Amino acid sequence: DQQVKQNSPSLSVQEGRISILNCDYTNSMFDYFLWYKKYPAEGPTFLISISSIKDKNEDGRFTVFLNKSAKHLSLHIVPSQPGDSAVYFCAASGSGNTPLVFGKGTRLSVIA
Amino acid sequence: GAGVSQSPSNKVTEKGKDVELRCDPISGHTALYWYRQSLGQGLEFLIYFQGNSAPDKSGLPSDRFSAERTGGSVSTLTIQRTQQEDSAVYLCASSLAPGGLPGTGELFFGEGSRLTVL
C-alpha cells in the first residue's frame, strides 16, 4: 500500500523549458512534504520542502505546489538545466516523530 | 567527518551468509534512519532511532534484519542468512531533529552500501 505515489517513472524535458514532477499521497495525516534529488552513486540530497499550512514554496528555480484537497503536490523547475538530470523523490511525513515516507522517484532527463 | 559515512560501499556475499553494514551519522544529529532502495523501487523505510527512545522497527521486512545504535552515534544494520531479495542499496540518513519537523528534520543521507547477494 503506497502512501506516496510518483506515477511517472521518467520525464524528459528540453533545456530551458519547465519540468513538472508530480506526487500524490493517500494519508491525510501527512502535513510536511519534501523533495529530494539523487544522482547516481550518491545519496539523496534535500531540495525543497513545504508545510501543509502553505500551498506554495519557492526557492530559486524550484517551486513546490501543494493541493491538500487533492492530496497532490508538484515540483516545478524552471528553467530546466542539464545538471538537473537526476532522480527526484517526493517524501511526506506526519507531525513530529515519524519517519519520512518516500515515493518511487521520477528520473528527469534535461536534454541540451 | 562532515557528512554521513557508510561502509562498506559495496558488499558481495553468498546466500545464507550474514552481513553487517555500518553508518556513522553527522555529529550531533539525534535521529538516524535506515532505508533501502531495491532496483526500480523507491526508498523503503527500515528502522528509525531517535535519541534514547525505543527504535521504530516497523519497516524491517523480516526477523533476519536487526539494527543497533551504540552510544547514540554509530549504527550497524545486520542481515542474517541473506537472501537474493535482500540485494539493494542500503541508505543511512541522520537529522538534527525527528524527521518531519520543518526546517530541522531534513534528512542527510550517506552514499549507501550496495549489497549483492549471489
PDB file of all heavy atoms in Angstrom, chain B residues 9-47:
ATOM      1  N   SER B   9      31.080   0.386   0.993  1.00  0.00           N
ATOM      2  CA  SER B   9      30.323   0.988  -0.097  1.00  0.00           C
ATOM      3  C   SER B   9      29.729  -0.099  -1.000  1.00  0.00           C
ATOM      4  O   SER B   9      28.664   0.088  -1.583  1.00  0.00           O
ATOM      5  CB  SER B   9      31.193   1.942  -0.905  1.00  0.00           C
ATOM      6  OG  SER B   9      32.358   1.283  -1.352  1.00  0.00           O
ATOM      7  N   ASN B  10      30.431  -1.217  -1.078  1.00  0.00           N
ATOM      8  CA  ASN B  10      29.953  -2.346  -1.865  1.00  0.00           C
ATOM      9  C   ASN B  10      30.216  -3.635  -1.110  1.00  0.00           C
ATOM     10  O   ASN B  10      31.285  -3.794  -0.520  1.00  0.00           O
ATOM     11  CB  ASN B  10      30.680  -2.438  -3.216  1.00  0.00           C
ATOM     12  CG  ASN B  10      30.027  -1.552  -4.249  1.00  0.00           C
ATOM     13  OD1 ASN B  10      28.943  -1.840  -4.735  1.00  0.00           O
ATOM     14  ND2 ASN B  10      30.665  -0.466  -4.567  1.00  0.00           N
ATOM     15  N   LYS B  11      29.238  -4.531  -1.129  1.00  0.00           N
ATOM     16  CA  LYS B  11      29.409  -5.819  -0.471  1.00  0.00           C
ATOM     17  C   LYS B  11      28.754  -6.897  -1.331  1.00  0.00           C
ATOM     18  O   LYS B  11      27.575  -6.810  -1.655  1.00  0.00           O
ATOM     19  CB  LYS B  11      28.771  -5.794   0.918  1.00  0.00           C
ATOM     20  CG  LYS B  11      28.786  -7.111   1.663  1.00  0.00           C
ATOM     21  CD  LYS B  11      30.166  -7.463   2.150  1.00  0.00           C
ATOM     22  CE  LYS B  11      30.159  -8.739   2.965  1.00  0.00           C
ATOM     23  NZ  LYS B  11      31.530  -9.110   3.419  1.00  0.00           N
ATOM     24  N   VAL B  12      29.558  -7.898  -1.696  1.00  0.00           N
ATOM     25  CA  VAL B  12      29.027  -9.049  -2.413  1.00  0.00           C
ATOM     26  C   VAL B  12      29.143 -10.236  -1.475  1.00  0.00           C
ATOM     27  O   VAL B  12      30.215 -10.491  -0.912  1.00  0.00           O
ATOM     28  CB  VAL B  12      29.807  -9.310  -3.716  1.00  0.00           C
ATOM     29  CG1 VAL B  12      29.227 -10.519  -4.434  1.00  0.00           C
ATOM     30  CG2 VAL B  12      29.769  -8.083  -4.623  1.00  0.00           C
ATOM     31  N   THR B  13      28.035 -10.939  -1.289  1.00  0.00           N
ATOM     32  CA  THR B  13      28.046 -12.056  -0.367  1.00  0.00           C
ATOM     33  C   THR B  13      27.271 -13.221  -0.961  1.00  0.00           C
ATOM     34  O   THR B  13      26.513 -13.068  -1.927  1.00  0.00           O
ATOM     35  CB  THR B  13      27.449 -11.645   0.987  1.00  0.00           C
ATOM     36  OG1 THR B  13      27.680 -12.678   1.950  1.00  0.00           O
ATOM     37  CG2 THR B  13      25.945 -11.416   0.880  1.00  0.00           C
ATOM     38  N   GLU B  14      27.475 -14.375  -0.363  1.00  0.00           N
ATOM     39  CA  GLU B  14      26.748 -15.561  -0.820  1.00  0.00           C
ATOM     40  C   GLU B  14      25.469 -15.719  -0.017  1.00  0.00           C
ATOM     41  O   GLU B  14      25.423 -15.382   1.179  1.00  0.00           O
ATOM     42  CB  GLU B  14      27.612 -16.801  -0.647  1.00  0.00           C
ATOM     43  CG  GLU B  14      28.824 -16.823  -1.564  1.00  0.00           C
ATOM     44  CD  GLU B  14      29.678 -18.061  -1.340  1.00  0.00           C
ATOM     45  OE1 GLU B  14      29.475 -18.760  -0.335  1.00  0.00           O
ATOM     46  OE2 GLU B  14      30.558 -18.318  -2.185  1.00  0.00           O
ATOM     47  N   LYS B  15      24.487 -16.232  -0.663  1.00  0.00           N
ATOM     48  CA  LYS B  15      23.215 -16.509   0.005  1.00  0.00           C
ATOM     49  C   LYS B  15      23.457 -17.323   1.269  1.00  0.00           C
ATOM     50  O   LYS B  15      24.232 -18.289   1.262  1.00  0.00           O
ATOM     51  CB  LYS B  15      22.313 -17.273  -0.966  1.00  0.00           C
ATOM     52  CG  LYS B  15      20.971 -17.678  -0.405  1.00  0.00           C
ATOM     53  CD  LYS B  15      20.184 -18.467  -1.461  1.00  0.00           C
ATOM     54  CE  LYS B  15      18.927 -19.060  -0.863  1.00  0.00           C
ATOM     55  NZ  LYS B  15      18.162 -19.859  -1.850  1.00  0.00           N
ATOM     56  N   GLY B  16      22.795 -16.900   2.351  1.00  0.00           N
ATOM     57  CA  GLY B  16      22.916 -17.616   3.609  1.00  0.00           C
ATOM     58  C   GLY B  16      23.921 -17.020   4.580  1.00  0.00           C
ATOM     59  O   GLY B  16      23.895 -17.341   5.776  1.00  0.00           O
ATOM     60  N   LYS B  17      24.807 -16.146   4.075  1.00  0.00           N
ATOM     61  CA  LYS B  17      25.787 -15.519   4.958  1.00  0.00           C
ATOM     62  C   LYS B  17      25.168 -14.314   5.672  1.00  0.00           C
ATOM     63  O   LYS B  17      24.173 -13.749   5.223  1.00  0.00           O
ATOM     64  CB  LYS B  17      26.991 -15.043   4.141  1.00  0.00           C
ATOM     65  CG  LYS B  17      27.695 -16.137   3.374  1.00  0.00           C
ATOM     66  CD  LYS B  17      28.745 -16.802   4.198  1.00  0.00           C
ATOM     67  CE  LYS B  17      29.531 -17.795   3.343  1.00  0.00           C
ATOM     68  NZ  LYS B  17      30.800 -18.191   3.932  1.00  0.00           N
ATOM     69  N   ASP B  18      25.797 -13.929   6.770  1.00  0.00           N
ATOM     70  CA  ASP B  18      25.381 -12.736   7.496  1.00  0.00           C
ATOM     71  C   ASP B  18      26.215 -11.546   7.019  1.00  0.00           C
ATOM     72  O   ASP B  18      27.391 -11.700   6.673  1.00  0.00           O
ATOM     73  CB  ASP B  18      25.602 -12.905   8.995  1.00  0.00           C
ATOM     74  CG  ASP B  18      24.769 -14.032   9.601  1.00  0.00           C
ATOM     75  OD1 ASP B  18      23.903 -14.584   8.882  1.00  0.00           O
ATOM     76  OD2 ASP B  18      24.997 -14.348  10.779  1.00  0.00           O
ATOM     77  N   VAL B  19      25.599 -10.358   7.012  1.00  0.00           N
ATOM     78  CA  VAL B  19      26.347  -9.143   6.669  1.00  0.00           C
ATOM     79  C   VAL B  19      26.052  -8.052   7.692  1.00  0.00           C
ATOM     80  O   VAL B  19      24.983  -8.021   8.301  1.00  0.00           O
ATOM     81  CB  VAL B  19      26.012  -8.607   5.258  1.00  0.00           C
ATOM     82  CG1 VAL B  19      26.419  -9.594   4.190  1.00  0.00           C
ATOM     83  CG2 VAL B  19      24.559  -8.232   5.133  1.00  0.00           C
ATOM     84  N   GLU B  20      27.033  -7.182   7.859  1.00  0.00           N
ATOM     85  CA  GLU B  20      26.871  -6.011   8.721  1.00  0.00           C
ATOM     86  C   GLU B  20      27.209  -4.767   7.913  1.00  0.00           C
ATOM     87  O   GLU B  20      28.237  -4.700   7.248  1.00  0.00           O
ATOM     88  CB  GLU B  20      27.824  -6.092   9.922  1.00  0.00           C
ATOM     89  CG  GLU B  20      27.370  -7.028  11.002  1.00  0.00           C
ATOM     90  CD  GLU B  20      28.215  -6.902  12.266  1.00  0.00           C
ATOM     91  OE1 GLU B  20      29.230  -6.164  12.243  1.00  0.00           O
ATOM     92  OE2 GLU B  20      27.865  -7.537  13.268  1.00  0.00           O
ATOM     93  N   LEU B  21      26.319  -3.795   8.017  1.00  0.00           N
ATOM     94  CA  LEU B  21      26.518  -2.514   7.339  1.00  0.00           C
ATOM     95  C   LEU B  21      26.602  -1.437   8.410  1.00  0.00           C
ATOM     96  O   LEU B  21      25.816  -1.428   9.356  1.00  0.00           O
ATOM     97  CB  LEU B  21      25.350  -2.232   6.383  1.00  0.00           C
ATOM     98  CG  LEU B  21      25.042  -3.332   5.372  1.00  0.00           C
ATOM     99  CD1 LEU B  21      23.800  -2.974   4.560  1.00  0.00           C
ATOM    100  CD2 LEU B  21      26.218  -3.578   4.452  1.00  0.00           C
ATOM    101  N   ARG B  22      27.542  -0.525   8.222  1.00  0.00           N
ATOM    102  CA  ARG B  22      27.813   0.467   9.267  1.00  0.00           C
ATOM    103  C   ARG B  22      27.447   1.861   8.794  1.00  0.00           C
ATOM    104  O   ARG B  22      27.619   2.204   7.625  1.00  0.00           O
ATOM    105  CB  ARG B  22      29.291   0.414   9.626  1.00  0.00           C
ATOM    106  CG  ARG B  22      29.749   1.452  10.646  1.00  0.00           C
ATOM    107  CD  ARG B  22      31.263   1.450  10.770  1.00  0.00           C
ATOM    108  NE  ARG B  22      31.733   2.651  11.450  1.00  0.00           N
ATOM    109  CZ  ARG B  22      32.126   2.669  12.727  1.00  0.00           C
ATOM    110  NH1 ARG B  22      32.116   1.570  13.448  1.00  0.00           N
ATOM    111  NH2 ARG B  22      32.551   3.798  13.276  1.00  0.00           N
ATOM    112  N   CYS B  23      26.968   2.662   9.740  1.00  0.00           N
ATOM    113  CA  CYS B  23      26.630   4.056   9.456  1.00  0.00           C
ATOM    114  C   CYS B  23      27.178   4.941  10.567  1.00  0.00           C
ATOM    115  O   CYS B  23      26.911   4.706  11.747  1.00  0.00           O
ATOM    116  CB  CYS B  23      25.121   4.229   9.363  1.00  0.00           C
ATOM    117  SG  CYS B  23      24.603   5.972   9.194  1.00  0.00           S
ATOM    118  N   ASP B  24      27.901   5.968  10.166  1.00  0.00           N
ATOM    119  CA  ASP B  24      28.409   6.970  11.096  1.00  0.00           C
ATOM    120  C   ASP B  24      27.693   8.288  10.773  1.00  0.00           C
ATOM    121  O   ASP B  24      27.987   8.915   9.761  1.00  0.00           O
ATOM    122  CB  ASP B  24      29.923   7.109  10.915  1.00  0.00           C
ATOM    123  CG  ASP B  24      30.593   7.729  12.118  1.00  0.00           C
ATOM    124  OD1 ASP B  24      29.872   8.313  12.956  1.00  0.00           O
ATOM    125  OD2 ASP B  24      31.822   7.631  12.216  1.00  0.00           O
ATOM    126  N   PRO B  25      26.749   8.700  11.610  1.00  0.00           N
ATOM    127  CA  PRO B  25      25.949   9.887  11.265  1.00  0.00           C
ATOM    128  C   PRO B  25      26.724  11.182  11.488  1.00  0.00           C
ATOM    129  O   PRO B  25      27.829  11.181  12.026  1.00  0.00           O
ATOM    130  CB  PRO B  25      24.763   9.784  12.231  1.00  0.00           C
ATOM    131  CG  PRO B  25      25.351   9.115  13.442  1.00  0.00           C
ATOM    132  CD  PRO B  25      26.360   8.144  12.905  1.00  0.00           C
ATOM    133  N   ILE B  26      26.102  12.263  11.098  1.00  0.00           N
ATOM    134  CA  ILE B  26      26.669  13.582  11.345  1.00  0.00           C
ATOM    135  C   ILE B  26      26.670  13.838  12.850  1.00  0.00           C
ATOM    136  O   ILE B  26      25.669  13.571  13.538  1.00  0.00           O
ATOM    137  CB  ILE B  26      25.878  14.671  10.598  1.00  0.00           C
ATOM    138  CG1 ILE B  26      26.052  14.479   9.086  1.00  0.00           C
ATOM    139  CG2 ILE B  26      26.322  16.074  11.025  1.00  0.00           C
ATOM    140  CD1 ILE B  26      25.188  15.394   8.243  1.00  0.00           C
ATOM    141  N   SER B  27      27.798  14.330  13.351  1.00  0.00           N
ATOM    142  CA  SER B  27      27.931  14.579  14.780  1.00  0.00           C
ATOM    143  C   SER B  27      26.835  15.526  15.272  1.00  0.00           C
ATOM    144  O   SER B  27      26.584  16.576  14.680  1.00  0.00           O
ATOM    145  CB  SER B  27      29.315  15.186  15.062  1.00  0.00           C
ATOM    146  OG  SER B  27      29.457  15.491  16.434  1.00  0.00           O
ATOM    147  N   GLY B  28      26.181  15.122  16.357  1.00  0.00           N
ATOM    148  CA  GLY B  28      25.138  15.961  16.937  1.00  0.00           C
ATOM    149  C   GLY B  28      23.749  15.664  16.445  1.00  0.00           C
ATOM    150  O   GLY B  28      22.766  16.149  17.012  1.00  0.00           O
ATOM    151  N   HIS B  29      23.637  14.867  15.391  1.00  0.00           N
ATOM    152  CA  HIS B  29      22.308  14.502  14.892  1.00  0.00           C
ATOM    153  C   HIS B  29      21.712  13.424  15.785  1.00  0.00           C
ATOM    154  O   HIS B  29      22.306  12.385  16.003  1.00  0.00           O
ATOM    155  CB  HIS B  29      22.393  14.011  13.444  1.00  0.00           C
ATOM    156  CG  HIS B  29      22.481  15.112  12.451  1.00  0.00           C
ATOM    157  ND1 HIS B  29      22.268  14.912  11.105  1.00  0.00           N
ATOM    158  CD2 HIS B  29      22.727  16.437  12.601  1.00  0.00           C
ATOM    159  CE1 HIS B  29      22.386  16.069  10.464  1.00  0.00           C
ATOM    160  NE2 HIS B  29      22.672  17.007  11.357  1.00  0.00           N
ATOM    161  N   THR B  30      20.503  13.700  16.271  1.00  0.00           N
ATOM    162  CA  THR B  30      19.902  12.771  17.219  1.00  0.00           C
ATOM    163  C   THR B  30      19.100  11.662  16.534  1.00  0.00           C
ATOM    164  O   THR B  30      18.860  10.620  17.116  1.00  0.00           O
ATOM    165  CB  THR B  30      18.972  13.518  18.186  1.00  0.00           C
ATOM    166  OG1 THR B  30      17.931  14.154  17.433  1.00  0.00           O
ATOM    167  CG2 THR B  30      19.741  14.556  18.982  1.00  0.00           C
ATOM    168  N   ALA B  31      18.679  11.923  15.321  1.00  0.00           N
ATOM    169  CA  ALA B  31      17.850  10.941  14.621  1.00  0.00           C
ATOM    170  C   ALA B  31      18.671  10.227  13.559  1.00  0.00           C
ATOM    171  O   ALA B  31      19.456  10.851  12.839  1.00  0.00           O
ATOM    172  CB  ALA B  31      16.647  11.627  13.981  1.00  0.00           C
ATOM    173  N   LEU B  32      18.474   8.911  13.450  1.00  0.00           N
ATOM    174  CA  LEU B  32      19.192   8.098  12.461  1.00  0.00           C
ATOM    175  C   LEU B  32      18.211   7.130  11.828  1.00  0.00           C
ATOM    176  O   LEU B  32      17.393   6.516  12.519  1.00  0.00           O
ATOM    177  CB  LEU B  32      20.353   7.344  13.124  1.00  0.00           C
ATOM    178  CG  LEU B  32      21.272   6.546  12.197  1.00  0.00           C
ATOM    179  CD1 LEU B  32      22.698   6.557  12.736  1.00  0.00           C
ATOM    180  CD2 LEU B  32      20.794   5.137  11.969  1.00  0.00           C
ATOM    181  N   TYR B  33      18.284   7.016  10.524  1.00  0.00           N
ATOM    182  CA  TYR B  33      17.346   6.199   9.758  1.00  0.00           C
ATOM    183  C   TYR B  33      18.115   5.233   8.854  1.00  0.00           C
ATOM    184  O   TYR B  33      19.184   5.562   8.357  1.00  0.00           O
ATOM    185  CB  TYR B  33      16.501   7.069   8.825  1.00  0.00           C
ATOM    186  CG  TYR B  33      15.834   8.254   9.461  1.00  0.00           C
ATOM    187  CD1 TYR B  33      16.554   9.396   9.785  1.00  0.00           C
ATOM    188  CD2 TYR B  33      14.465   8.240   9.708  1.00  0.00           C
ATOM    189  CE1 TYR B  33      15.931  10.487  10.356  1.00  0.00           C
ATOM    190  CE2 TYR B  33      13.835   9.338  10.267  1.00  0.00           C
ATOM    191  CZ  TYR B  33      14.582  10.459  10.587  1.00  0.00           C
ATOM    192  OH  TYR B  33      13.960  11.537  11.143  1.00  0.00           O
ATOM    193  N   TRP B  34      17.505   4.092   8.629  1.00  0.00           N
ATOM    194  CA  TRP B  34      17.959   3.196   7.574  1.00  0.00           C
ATOM    195  C   TRP B  34      16.820   3.044   6.565  1.00  0.00           C
ATOM    196  O   TRP B  34      15.670   2.790   6.932  1.00  0.00           O
ATOM    197  CB  TRP B  34      18.315   1.819   8.132  1.00  0.00           C
ATOM    198  CG  TRP B  34      19.626   1.752   8.852  1.00  0.00           C
ATOM    199  CD1 TRP B  34      19.855   1.828  10.187  1.00  0.00           C
ATOM    200  CD2 TRP B  34      20.907   1.559   8.248  1.00  0.00           C
ATOM    201  NE1 TRP B  34      21.182   1.708  10.465  1.00  0.00           N
ATOM    202  CE2 TRP B  34      21.866   1.521   9.293  1.00  0.00           C
ATOM    203  CE3 TRP B  34      21.367   1.385   6.941  1.00  0.00           C
ATOM    204  CZ2 TRP B  34      23.229   1.346   9.075  1.00  0.00           C
ATOM    205  CZ3 TRP B  34      22.719   1.206   6.715  1.00  0.00           C
ATOM    206  CH2 TRP B  34      23.631   1.186   7.771  1.00  0.00           C
ATOM    207  N   TYR B  35      17.179   3.229   5.302  1.00  0.00           N
ATOM    208  CA  TYR B  35      16.272   2.974   4.192  1.00  0.00           C
ATOM    209  C   TYR B  35      16.985   2.018   3.238  1.00  0.00           C
ATOM    210  O   TYR B  35      18.211   1.874   3.288  1.00  0.00           O
ATOM    211  CB  TYR B  35      15.953   4.256   3.415  1.00  0.00           C
ATOM    212  CG  TYR B  35      15.023   5.227   4.112  1.00  0.00           C
ATOM    213  CD1 TYR B  35      15.506   6.145   5.036  1.00  0.00           C
ATOM    214  CD2 TYR B  35      13.662   5.235   3.819  1.00  0.00           C
ATOM    215  CE1 TYR B  35      14.649   7.046   5.666  1.00  0.00           C
ATOM    216  CE2 TYR B  35      12.798   6.134   4.438  1.00  0.00           C
ATOM    217  CZ  TYR B  35      13.303   7.038   5.354  1.00  0.00           C
ATOM    218  OH  TYR B  35      12.452   7.919   5.975  1.00  0.00           O
ATOM    219  N   ARG B  36      16.233   1.387   2.361  1.00  0.00           N
ATOM    220  CA  ARG B  36      16.884   0.647   1.288  1.00  0.00           C
ATOM    221  C   ARG B  36      16.172   0.932  -0.017  1.00  0.00           C
ATOM    222  O   ARG B  36      14.973   1.238  -0.047  1.00  0.00           O
ATOM    223  CB  ARG B  36      16.923  -0.858   1.571  1.00  0.00           C
ATOM    224  CG  ARG B  36      15.618  -1.591   1.399  1.00  0.00           C
ATOM    225  CD  ARG B  36      15.815  -3.084   1.568  1.00  0.00           C
ATOM    226  NE  ARG B  36      14.542  -3.792   1.523  1.00  0.00           N
ATOM    227  CZ  ARG B  36      14.419  -5.101   1.677  1.00  0.00           C
ATOM    228  NH1 ARG B  36      15.503  -5.860   1.889  1.00  0.00           N
ATOM    229  NH2 ARG B  36      13.229  -5.673   1.615  1.00  0.00           N
ATOM    230  N   GLN B  37      16.944   0.844  -1.072  1.00  0.00           N
ATOM    231  CA  GLN B  37      16.402   1.043  -2.404  1.00  0.00           C
ATOM    232  C   GLN B  37      16.735  -0.170  -3.242  1.00  0.00           C
ATOM    233  O   GLN B  37      17.902  -0.386  -3.585  1.00  0.00           O
ATOM    234  CB  GLN B  37      16.958   2.311  -3.053  1.00  0.00           C
ATOM    235  CG  GLN B  37      16.312   2.623  -4.393  1.00  0.00           C
ATOM    236  CD  GLN B  37      16.841   3.873  -5.041  1.00  0.00           C
ATOM    237  OE1 GLN B  37      17.902   4.388  -4.693  1.00  0.00           O
ATOM    238  NE2 GLN B  37      16.098   4.393  -6.007  1.00  0.00           N
ATOM    239  N   SER B  38      15.716  -0.952  -3.559  1.00  0.00           N
ATOM    240  CA  SER B  38      15.886  -2.080  -4.458  1.00  0.00           C
ATOM    241  C   SER B  38      15.759  -1.576  -5.885  1.00  0.00           C
ATOM    242  O   SER B  38      15.242  -0.488  -6.130  1.00  0.00           O
ATOM    243  CB  SER B  38      14.840  -3.159  -4.168  1.00  0.00           C
ATOM    244  OG  SER B  38      14.892  -3.553  -2.819  1.00  0.00           O
ATOM    245  N   LEU B  39      16.203  -2.392  -6.834  1.00  0.00           N
ATOM    246  CA  LEU B  39      16.199  -1.987  -8.231  1.00  0.00           C
ATOM    247  C   LEU B  39      14.794  -1.588  -8.673  1.00  0.00           C
ATOM    248  O   LEU B  39      13.844  -2.355  -8.521  1.00  0.00           O
ATOM    249  CB  LEU B  39      16.721  -3.140  -9.087  1.00  0.00           C
ATOM    250  CG  LEU B  39      17.032  -2.797 -10.543  1.00  0.00           C
ATOM    251  CD1 LEU B  39      18.153  -1.769 -10.616  1.00  0.00           C
ATOM    252  CD2 LEU B  39      17.415  -4.054 -11.323  1.00  0.00           C
ATOM    253  N   GLY B  40      14.670  -0.372  -9.199  1.00  0.00           N
ATOM    254  CA  GLY B  40      13.386   0.085  -9.707  1.00  0.00           C
ATOM    255  C   GLY B  40      12.381   0.474  -8.649  1.00  0.00           C
ATOM    256  O   GLY B  40      11.222   0.762  -8.970  1.00  0.00           O
ATOM    257  N   GLN B  41      12.810   0.494  -7.406  1.00  0.00           N
ATOM    258  CA  GLN B  41      11.896   0.821  -6.318  1.00  0.00           C
ATOM    259  C   GLN B  41      12.289   2.137  -5.665  1.00  0.00           C
ATOM    260  O   GLN B  41      13.379   2.658  -5.879  1.00  0.00           O
ATOM    261  CB  GLN B  41      11.904  -0.302  -5.267  1.00  0.00           C
ATOM    262  CG  GLN B  41      11.472  -1.648  -5.794  1.00  0.00           C
ATOM    263  CD  GLN B  41      10.057  -1.642  -6.307  1.00  0.00           C
ATOM    264  OE1 GLN B  41       9.130  -1.187  -5.634  1.00  0.00           O
ATOM    265  NE2 GLN B  41       9.868  -2.141  -7.520  1.00  0.00           N
ATOM    266  N   GLY B  42      11.379   2.649  -4.849  1.00  0.00           N
ATOM    267  CA  GLY B  42      11.672   3.859  -4.101  1.00  0.00           C
ATOM    268  C   GLY B  42      12.479   3.553  -2.865  1.00  0.00           C
ATOM    269  O   GLY B  42      13.037   2.475  -2.705  1.00  0.00           O
ATOM    270  N   LEU B  43      12.532   4.521  -1.982  1.00  0.00           N
ATOM    271  CA  LEU B  43      13.257   4.359  -0.734  1.00  0.00           C
ATOM    272  C   LEU B  43      12.322   3.717   0.292  1.00  0.00           C
ATOM    273  O   LEU B  43      11.330   4.314   0.690  1.00  0.00           O
ATOM    274  CB  LEU B  43      13.748   5.712  -0.235  1.00  0.00           C
ATOM    275  CG  LEU B  43      14.730   6.425  -1.162  1.00  0.00           C
ATOM    276  CD1 LEU B  43      15.020   7.819  -0.664  1.00  0.00           C
ATOM    277  CD2 LEU B  43      16.001   5.630  -1.287  1.00  0.00           C
ATOM    278  N   GLU B  44      12.669   2.526   0.706  1.00  0.00           N
ATOM    279  CA  GLU B  44      11.842   1.764   1.637  1.00  0.00           C
ATOM    280  C   GLU B  44      12.367   1.959   3.055  1.00  0.00           C
ATOM    281  O   GLU B  44      13.522   1.629   3.347  1.00  0.00           O
ATOM    282  CB  GLU B  44      11.878   0.289   1.250  1.00  0.00           C
ATOM    283  CG  GLU B  44      11.126  -0.642   2.182  1.00  0.00           C
ATOM    284  CD  GLU B  44      11.395  -2.110   1.861  1.00  0.00           C
ATOM    285  OE1 GLU B  44      12.212  -2.397   0.955  1.00  0.00           O
ATOM    286  OE2 GLU B  44      10.803  -2.972   2.525  1.00  0.00           O
ATOM    287  N   PHE B  45      11.529   2.478   3.930  1.00  0.00           N
ATOM    288  CA  PHE B  45      11.913   2.706   5.320  1.00  0.00           C
ATOM    289  C   PHE B  45      12.154   1.381   6.023  1.00  0.00           C
ATOM    290  O   PHE B  45      11.368   0.435   5.891  1.00  0.00           O
ATOM    291  CB  PHE B  45      10.819   3.490   6.039  1.00  0.00           C
ATOM    292  CG  PHE B  45      10.958   3.495   7.534  1.00  0.00           C
ATOM    293  CD1 PHE B  45      11.968   4.212   8.153  1.00  0.00           C
ATOM    294  CD2 PHE B  45      10.081   2.764   8.325  1.00  0.00           C
ATOM    295  CE1 PHE B  45      12.096   4.212   9.528  1.00  0.00           C
ATOM    296  CE2 PHE B  45      10.196   2.763   9.704  1.00  0.00           C
ATOM    297  CZ  PHE B  45      11.211   3.480  10.306  1.00  0.00           C
ATOM    298  N   LEU B  46      13.231   1.292   6.792  1.00  0.00           N
ATOM    299  CA  LEU B  46      13.543   0.086   7.548  1.00  0.00           C
ATOM    300  C   LEU B  46      13.414   0.313   9.047  1.00  0.00           C
ATOM    301  O   LEU B  46      12.638  -0.355   9.725  1.00  0.00           O
ATOM    302  CB  LEU B  46      14.959  -0.394   7.212  1.00  0.00           C
ATOM    303  CG  LEU B  46      15.213  -0.810   5.764  1.00  0.00           C
ATOM    304  CD1 LEU B  46      16.682  -1.190   5.574  1.00  0.00           C
ATOM    305  CD2 LEU B  46      14.308  -1.961   5.364  1.00  0.00           C
ATOM    306  N   ILE B  47      14.200   1.247   9.578  1.00  0.00           N
ATOM    307  CA  ILE B  47      14.250   1.439  11.026  1.00  0.00           C
ATOM    308  C   ILE B  47      14.682   2.861  11.334  1.00  0.00           C
ATOM    309  O   ILE B  47      15.362   3.505  10.535  1.00  0.00           O
ATOM    310  CB  ILE B  47      15.189   0.403  11.696  1.00  0.00           C
ATOM    311  CG1 ILE B  47      15.081   0.453  13.231  1.00  0.00           C
ATOM    312  CG2 ILE B  47      16.628   0.621  11.238  1.00  0.00           C
ATOM    313  CD1 ILE B  47      15.800  -0.731  13.916  1.00  0.00           C
TER     314      ILE B  47
END
